[in-house]
């Protein structure tokens, strides 16, 4: 691969060259221009503008693994979901159907640890298993190089080790790997070359062992995309949409859930009182997201469990919308689904109606409240900006504001910092700490990370 004098609105790359048999990892913050460079290396036009270059020698027919690729599979599986017509959850397309020449690649599938799961549906796989399946789907079609965007993101420590071992196996077998990451901790030890992308420029580029310290120091000093604050929230702002909260928000007794006879978790009891902010942690595939789907009513097991939410006993004839209007929800799934056109202000306002997109006419007071939340995010000037044009980190925080605008009793956050660089991850956690301090709502926070426990959490559940 060789890139000489590549210029675009966000990129200014003088010289980026590596031999065909070597692997490369580039690190950069969410707004560094690294996403544009990823698109360029994939042979696509960057999001910001067309690129002009003196020389572009890119990987031929690369396997591409990214958030967009996962999104495409997710949307395809969503269209084929027949759960509503079955008396069980549709497990999705069998894992083996994503692969070609299974017999010829049996040793590789086994090395990935996926042999026992080939007959399982896509939706039954853990995040780490799904990530490795997408990787295998590219390899089994005969690619000689792979281009990744944030391959380790969203994986627990054990899944990260498994994926890293897998990538090292490919590296040793002369498949060129080009990896783009947001955090220096994700730069693998086995990659040959490394570099940092800062303000669209490539710096500290060279053999990994010679530049890793410089890259780490450089990325430590990158500021967050936003400076969110709740300091100017007034009692009136908080009470505009507030419903009187019960003292007990949630009670689950001996809860369980599974797919196709396979139990994901069982004998789980959880009680959350008003103001009792709760952190739930655990490895990929342990059932964290399934638990949240039971709480939100998006999993059939919510009617099979002894579950009370806001003092409603599930399955007693209550309206799901009476429950959901008292919840604010942020998840990677919501982020994936929120790809329709619309402004940033409209996105926040849609939280009042629990809709993806804004289809109702809002009152001047509601619009003023949404603008106030944009001020809290430090994004007052982005009201008219299309939501899809914001940086990934800014989108995620706007979705938090979307959940908070109705001042819910329960704010449910499923891996809210996934996809963020270190500075933006800390900014989101600091904002949530302010939300907890002001007693705006009760927070139920799910994460596979072990370093996101803050003092405002009253209890921690390890699944």
């Amino acid at each position: 691969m060789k890139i000489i004098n590549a210029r675009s609105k966000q990129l200014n790359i003088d010289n980026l060259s590596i031999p065909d048999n070597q692997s490369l990892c580039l690190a950069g913050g969410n707004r560094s221009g690294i996403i544009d460079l990823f698109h360029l290396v994939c042979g696509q036009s960057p999001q910001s503008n067309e690129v002009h270059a003196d020389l572009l020698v890119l990987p031929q027919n690369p396997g591409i693994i990214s958030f967009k690729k996962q999104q495409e599979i997710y949307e395809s599986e969503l269209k084929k979901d027949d759960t509503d017509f079955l008396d069980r959850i549709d497990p999705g397309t069998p894992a083996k159907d994503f692969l070609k020449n299974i017999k010829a690649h049996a040793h590789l599938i086994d090395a990935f640890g996926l042999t026992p799961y080939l007959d399982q549906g896509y939706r039954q796989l853990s995040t780490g298993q799904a990530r490795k399946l997408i990787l295998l789907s590219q390899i089994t079609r005969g690619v000689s190089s792979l281009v990744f965007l944030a391959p380790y993101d969203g994986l627990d420590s054990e899944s990260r080790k498994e994926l890293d071992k897998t990538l090292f196996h490919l590296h040793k077998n002369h498949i060129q790997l080009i990896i783009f990451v947001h955090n220096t901790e994700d730069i693998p030890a086995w990659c040959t070359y490394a570099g940092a992308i800062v303000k669209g420029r490539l710096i500290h580029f060279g053999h990994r062992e010679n530049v890793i310290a410089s890259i780490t120091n450089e990325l430590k000093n990158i500021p967050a995309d936003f400076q969110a604050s709740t300091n100017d929230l007034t009692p009136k702002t908080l009470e505009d949409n507030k419903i009187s909260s019960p003292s007990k928000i949630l009670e689950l007794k001996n809860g369980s859930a599974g797919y196709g006879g396979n139990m994901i978790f069982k004998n789980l009891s959880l009680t959350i009182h008003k103001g009792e902010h709760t952190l739930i942690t655990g490895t990929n595939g342990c059932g964290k997201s399934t638990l949240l789907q039971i709480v939100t009513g998006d999993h059939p097991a919510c009617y099979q469990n002894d579950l009370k939410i806001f003092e409603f006993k599930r399955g007693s004839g209550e309206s799901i919308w009476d429950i959901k209007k008292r919840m604010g929800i942020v998840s990677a799934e919501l982020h994936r689904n929120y790809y329709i056109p619309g402004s940033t202000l409209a996105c926040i306002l849609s939280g009042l109606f629990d809709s993806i997109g804004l289809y109702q006419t809002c009152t001047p007071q509601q619009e003023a409240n949404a603008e106030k939340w944009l001020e809290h995010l430090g994004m007052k000037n982005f009201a008219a900006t299309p939501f899809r044009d914001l940086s990934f980190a800014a989108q995620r925080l706007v979705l938090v504001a979307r959940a908070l605008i109705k001042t819910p009793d329960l704010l449910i956050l499923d891996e809210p910092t996934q996809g963020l660089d270190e500075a933006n991850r800390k900014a989101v956690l600091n904002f949530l700490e302010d939300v907890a301090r002001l007693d705006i709502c009760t927070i139920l926070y799910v994460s596979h990370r072990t370093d996101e426990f803050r003092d405002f959490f009253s209890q921690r559940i390890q699944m």
Side-chain angles (χ1 to χ4, degrees):
M1 184 181 75
K2 181 174 287 189
I3 301 174
I4 305 295
N5 293 329
R7 304 287 184 264
S8 74
K9 187 176 179 181
Q10 298 292 335
L11 291 177
N12 195 356
I13 305 297
D14 295 328
N15 187 342
L16 173 56
S17 305
I18 61 168
D20 290 341
N21 63 343
Q22 301 297 313
S23 294
L24 166 69
C25 182
L26 297 174
N30 290 114
R31 299 188 69 180
S32 63
I34 196 168
I35 304 299
D36 278 12
L37 185 55
F38 167 77
H39 286 142
L40 177 62
V41 171
C42 292
Q44 306 163 355
S45 294
Q47 293 175 325
S48 60
N49 212 337
E50 291 187 2
V51 173
H52 303 279
D54 291 346
L55 180 65
L56 279 178
V57 180
L58 303 177
Q60 294 299 306
N61 188 31
I64 299 170
I65 300 168
S66 65
F67 178 84
K68 182 180 179 182
K69 185 69 178 177
Q70 295 172 66
Q71 171 73 7
E72 290 171 355
I73 295 175
Y74 172 82
E75 290 174 19
S76 174
E77 288 294 301
L78 201 62
K79 290 175 183 177
K80 295 183 288 186
D81 187 354
D82 289 331
T83 296
D84 291 343
F85 307 103
L86 303 172
D87 59 356
R88 56 182 174 80
I89 291 179
D90 184 350
T93 304
K96 61 186 178 184
D97 290 359
F98 288 88
L99 309 177
K100 297 181 182 296
N101 304 315
I102 290 179
K103 286 186 178 179
H105 293 92
H107 67 291
L108 194 57
I109 296 170
D110 196 50
F112 277 41
L114 288 182
T115 302
Y117 303 98
L118 292 180
D119 291 323
Q120 287 197 12
Y122 180 80
R123 283 188 287 279
Q124 292 178 295
L125 301 177
S126 71
T127 303
Q129 291 166 342
R131 187 80 51 88
K132 288 192 284 189
L133 180 65
I134 295 171
L135 196 159
L136 270 176
S137 72
Q138 298 295 310
I139 296 172
T140 58
R141 70 179 180 87
V143 299
S144 57
S145 63
L146 290 166
V147 184
F148 299 84
L149 177 60
Y152 302 101
D153 203 44
L155 301 183
D156 60 61
S157 58
E158 194 57 39
S159 295
R160 286 168 61 95
K161 289 176 184 176
E162 289 179 9
L163 179 59
D164 196 61
K165 190 185 301 181
T166 299
L167 296 181
F168 180 51
H169 177 82
L170 298 176
H171 172 71
K172 287 197 303 181
N173 283 272
H174 308 297
I175 292 180
Q176 185 178 55
L177 306 178
I178 302 173
I179 299 176
F180 296 80
V181 302
H182 294 307
N183 297 287
T184 53
E185 66 185 28
D186 293 337
I187 299 176
W190 47 259
C191 71
T192 319
Y193 292 90
I197 304 298
V198 177
K199 296 182 179 179
R201 291 184 174 274
L202 174 64
I203 61 175
H204 306 308
F205 176 67
H207 283 276
R208 182 194 180 281
E209 62 271 19
N210 296 333
V211 299
I212 187 65
S214 298
I215 294 172
T216 300
N217 289 332
E218 188 74 43
L219 267 61
K220 276 182 180 178
N221 297 319
I222 296 176
D225 292 0
F226 44 80
Q227 294 297 323
S229 171
T230 55
N231 290 337
D232 57 345
L233 278 175
T234 65
K236 185 178 186 307
T237 305
L238 299 179
E239 293 170 2
D240 279 340
N241 303 286
K242 192 68 176 175
I243 303 170
S244 179
S245 300
S247 60
K248 188 179 290 184
I249 299 289
L250 183 153
E251 185 177 22
L252 174 66
K253 296 180 180 179
N254 297 318
S256 63
Y259 290 98
N262 296 319
M263 196 61 66
I264 298 176
F265 65 82
K266 61 181 180 179
N267 300 325
L268 175 65
S269 295
L270 173 64
T271 301
I272 300 176
H273 292 88
K274 180 181 177 181
E276 194 173 25
H277 309 299
T278 301
L279 173 67
I280 296 178
T281 59
T283 59
N284 296 125
C286 72
K288 300 187 303 296
S289 294
T290 300
L291 173 62
L292 291 192
Q293 290 170 354
I294 290 173
V295 171
T296 60
D298 295 319
H299 193 292
C302 68
Y303 300 108
Q304 302 162 11
N305 279 285
D306 186 354
L307 173 65
K308 282 186 179 180
I309 302 178
F310 311 128
E311 298 180 347
F312 290 106
K313 183 172 176 58
R314 296 311 310 265
S316 61
E318 79 290 349
S319 164
I320 184 61
W321 297 111
D322 284 340
I323 291 176
K324 281 201 169 183
K325 71 183 180 182
R326 304 175 77 163
M327 296 178 178
I329 303 170
V330 180
S331 66
E333 182 177 9
L334 172 66
H335 201 159
R336 284 194 300 264
N337 286 338
Y338 217 105
Y339 56 87
I340 64 169
S343 70
T344 297
L345 187 68
C347 176
I348 293 179
L349 285 165
S350 71
L352 294 170
F353 311 101
D354 295 312
S355 59
I356 293 180
L358 185 62
Y359 309 100
Q360 290 88 346
T361 300
C362 297
T363 66
Q365 182 179 355
Q366 288 171 331
E367 290 188 1
N369 196 13
E371 289 171 354
K372 195 71 175 175
W373 277 109
L374 275 177
E375 286 186 41
H376 303 324
L377 303 184
M379 297 174 62
K380 182 179 179 180
N381 297 330
F382 291 86
T385 301
F387 174 77
R388 294 186 299 183
D389 289 351
L390 298 175
S391 72
F392 186 92
Q395 287 180 4
R396 186 57 59 86
L397 199 68
V398 167
L399 290 177
V400 174
R402 173 187 176 275
L404 285 170
I405 189 172
K406 61 181 178 180
T407 322
D409 287 316
L410 183 63
L411 176 63
I412 298 175
L413 303 170
D414 187 5
E415 305 278 6
T417 62
Q418 183 176 325
L420 304 186
D421 60 40
E422 188 65 18
N424 286 310
R425 189 171 70 86
K426 288 180 178 178
V428 168
L429 287 166
N430 290 342
F431 181 73
L432 292 175
E433 193 161 0
D434 280 348
V435 168
R437 176 178 53 81
L438 289 173
D439 197 25
I440 296 174
C441 57
T442 300
I443 298 173
L444 175 57
Y445 189 109
V446 166
S447 176
H448 70 275
R449 299 184 65 115
T450 58
D451 58 353
E452 294 195 336
F453 185 84
R454 292 286 185 101
D455 289 342
F456 67 84
F457 288 118
S458 304
Q459 63 175 334
R460 177 177 180 175
I461 308 297
Q462 176 71 32
M463 292 185 65

